[in-house]
């Protein structure tokens, strides 16, 4: 976590966007922990010292997101998620209309 050593805070805005929540690297730890794959993604970000800004307005989703702060992923699970595809995602039609670049996949700062 080189960014933390340099006292740089990385922010993950909408960290669940463009994430395949059915990927076994997310569903396996979710099952083990009694959590959702979305919570696993958020727990991974937190373990990697990436500040996350989930963009939900639903109270149930917000409560679920906060539960991720209590999850502990194993070193193997963290490594597996680290190795997932980090190619830039295709920009949404709205992003294309506004000239914004595509968002990166949620796995990685």
């Amino acid at each position: 976590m080189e960014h933390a050593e340099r006292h740089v805070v990385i922010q993950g805005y909408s960290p669940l966007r463009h994430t395949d929540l059915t990927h076994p690297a997310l569903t396996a730890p979710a099952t083990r922990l009694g959590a959702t794959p979305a919570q696993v993604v958020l727990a991974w970000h937190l373990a990697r010292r990436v500040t996350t800004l989930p963009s939900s307005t639903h109270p149930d989703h917000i409560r679920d997101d906060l539960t991720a702060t209590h999850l502990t992923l194993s070193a193997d699970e963290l490594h597996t998620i680290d190795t997932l595809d980090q190619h830039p995602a295709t920009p949404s039609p709205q992003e294309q209309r506004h000239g914004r670049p595509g968002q990166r996949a949620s796995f990685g700062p």
Side-chain angles (χ1 to χ4, degrees), residues 17-86:
R17 186 173 184 200
H18 300 296
T19 301
D20 178 5
L21 296 175
T22 64
H23 195 288
L26 303 176
T27 59
T31 299
R32 181 182 70 77
L33 294 166
T36 66
Q39 291 169 322
V40 169
V41 171
L42 296 175
W44 175 84
H45 278 83
L46 295 171
R48 294 300 184 226
R49 297 181 151 212
V50 175
T51 302
T52 61
L53 298 173
S55 58
S56 180
T57 59
H58 296 85
D60 290 342
H61 292 170
I62 295 168
R63 273 190 291 278
D64 285 348
D65 293 346
L66 290 172
T67 301
T69 62
H70 302 290
L71 300 180
T72 303
L73 299 171
S74 72
D76 286 341
E77 290 165 338
L78 290 169
H79 175 73
T80 299
I81 296 170
D82 286 343
T83 63
L84 293 177
D85 187 11
Q86 294 187 29

Side-chain angles (χ1 to χ4, degrees), residues 17-18 87-96 100-105:
R17 186 173 184 200
H18 300 296
H87 294 286
T90 304
S92 70
Q94 182 180 14
E95 290 167 335
Q96 290 174 356
R100 296 184 186 131
Q103 303 290 317
R104 287 186 60 85

